[in-house]
Amino acid sequence: MSHLLVLAPAQLLYSVLLPPADPGLKCCPVPSTFHSASRMALQDVCKWQAPDTQGPSVHLPQAGGWAVPRGCDPQTFLETYGPRLAHGTTTLAFRFRHGVIAAADTRSSCGSYVACPASRKVIPVHRHLLGTTSGTSADCVTWYRVLRRELRLRELREGKLPSVAGAAKLLSSMMSRYRGLDLCVATALCGWDHSGPALFYVYSDGTCLQGDIFSVGSGSPYAYGVLDSSYHYDMTVQEAYTLARCAVTHATHRDAYSGGSVDLFHVRESGWEYVSRGDAYALYMELQTARGLEQELEAKASEVLPEPATPQDAQGGGELLVEPEEVTPEDGRVMAKTEAM
């Protein structure tokens, strides 16, 4: 007769065979050197099978259960688009007198397949800090959870939240340990601390930069073109909202991997505020309509205004008056010689 021991909470215990006459059970942790032998004993006595750690997890769905486009074979889809799925986005953030503006599109793409048209790419960390996400969605969400936990622990230990610069340095130092392991996180941390509005760019290789304007993603070149043409630090709040919407909207129009809607956030001294979410195509059509109206008004204004007066009109008659030049004796001899020739 054999008895099966229970598992201790801190140490893994294996079954120990005891004689039936033994009055009690003794629990002893099995050393690591006997791990293989114990596993073989369990397989032989208890008919227990060790889990296959090399294969896919048993908690994952089978091949037919993956969320792939309707009508596509999962194996063919993964062979075509995987294992490195191309992804793109448009996120931006800029600092101005009244805080920090963060804006992003909502399309999550895997190559030419739109995985989610309404994802959230601006993630709040705490009341005075949020960040844009670009790269692999799972990596971004995971590391923002880690950052939120670490900042909360520091707040409990020190009695106050770290500055935006401290949070950016903490995130970059944590991710730099995984350099070269296909971690893809590019974020702009937007916040307000004791020094005022602050903006930092952090990348998964440990890069940490401070600046006034950052745009990340495949649509960032188009967004930078709009931002560089109209940005200035002393903008009003409405001008900042309009600039952010225009930049993301134009990027979604030119970049195939960006689209969906435009999310807009504003970080103030009192905390961050979710301003709006608007359809990117509708915003682009509104911008085009407004531009057409401006061009029509400029054309009408140029027709109504009289043409500026010219020196000829000031003299009257519209003809150019030339004063007679004084002829010298030498000029007369040259003219006579020319006529004789």
Side-chain angles (χ1 to χ4, degrees):
M1 185 68 179
S2 63
H3 302 275
L4 184 64
L5 298 183
V6 296
L7 298 179
Q11 296 174 334
L12 182 61
L13 304 180
Y14 292 90
S15 60
V16 178
L17 298 177
L18 297 176
D22 207 350
L25 300 177
K26 296 181 179 181
C27 298
C28 296
V30 179
S32 58
T33 54
F34 299 106
H35 180 82
S36 299
S38 302
R39 184 171 62 179
M40 294 177 62
L42 288 174
Q43 291 177 350
D44 294 338
V45 177
C46 303
K47 306 302 180 183
W48 174 76
Q49 296 294 330
D52 184 12
T53 58
Q54 303 298 327
S57 173
V58 295
H59 301 288
L60 295 177
Q62 300 300 321
W66 291 104
V68 297
R70 184 175 298 177
C72 294
D73 178 63
Q75 189 68 25
T76 305
F77 179 80
L78 292 177
E79 289 178 356
T80 304
Y81 297 99
R84 296 180 178 273
L85 298 176
H87 47 265
T89 184
T90 300
T91 64
L92 62 87
F94 58 85
R95 188 174 69 98
F96 72 120
R97 180 177 297 276
H98 302 284
V100 184
I101 298 294
D105 73 310
T106 61
R107 174 178 293 177
S108 294
S109 57
C110 299
S112 58
Y113 172 59
V114 178
C116 180
S119 61
R120 179 68 61 84
K121 298 182 182 180
V122 182
I123 301 179
V125 180
H126 57 71
R127 185 57 189 161
H128 291 83
L129 181 66
L130 51 80
T132 64
T133 59
S134 178
T136 305
S137 299
D139 291 343
C140 294
V141 173
T142 299
W143 279 103
Y144 265 99
R145 287 177 180 174
V146 174
L147 177 63
R148 189 182 297 117
R149 179 196 65 194
E150 294 296 326
L151 293 180
R152 176 58 177 163
L153 290 175
R154 290 190 60 177
E155 182 185 14
L156 293 174
R157 286 195 299 262
E158 301 174 4
K160 62 179 181 179
L161 284 168
S163 62
V164 181
K169 185 63 177 177
L170 175 63
L171 181 60
S172 66
S173 63
M174 289 190 300
M175 293 193 298
S176 63
R177 304 171 188 173
Y178 298 88
R179 186 182 306 169
L181 299 179
D182 285 341
L183 182 65
C184 185
V185 178
T187 179
L189 284 173
C190 317
W192 192 301
D193 53 21
H194 57 87
S195 62
L199 177 61
F200 286 83
Y201 167 75
V202 180
Y203 189 57
S204 51
D205 63 354
T207 302
C208 183
L209 302 174
Q210 183 179 10
D212 292 332
I213 303 176
F214 288 115
S215 182
V216 189
S218 57
S220 59
Y222 310 107
Y224 269 127
V226 178
L227 291 173
D228 291 339
S229 63
S230 303
Y231 169 81
H232 58 93
Y233 185 80
D234 295 325
M235 288 187 297
T236 63
V237 174
Q238 292 302 324
E239 288 176 346
Y241 290 172
T242 303
L243 177 60
R245 290 193 185 102
C246 288
V248 178
T249 300
H250 281 284
T252 58
H253 180 69
R254 294 296 181 184
D255 179 39
Y257 298 106
S258 304
S261 302
V262 179
D263 281 338
L264 185 63
F265 286 77
H266 184 189
V267 182
R268 303 173 181 267
E269 186 177 3
S270 58
W272 60 266
E273 174 189 356
Y274 183 31
V275 180
S276 66
R277 167 175 285 194
D279 184 81
Y281 179 75
L283 290 174
Y284 181 78
M285 296 307 297
E286 290 177 4
L287 293 175
Q288 293 298 104
T289 303
R291 180 176 299 179
L293 293 175
E294 290 180 0
Q295 292 177 354
E296 291 180 3
L297 292 176
E298 291 178 358
K300 291 181 180 179
S302 62
E303 292 177 358
V304 173
L305 293 176
E307 296 182 358
T310 60
Q312 294 86 342
D313 297 336
Q315 295 290 341
E319 296 182 358
L320 183 62
L321 300 179
V322 181
E323 296 181 358
E325 298 181 357
E326 183 179 357
V327 180
T328 61
E330 184 177 356
D331 295 335
R333 289 193 297 269
V334 173
M335 294 173 60
K337 185 182 296 183
T338 304
E339 292 177 359
M341 294 175 61

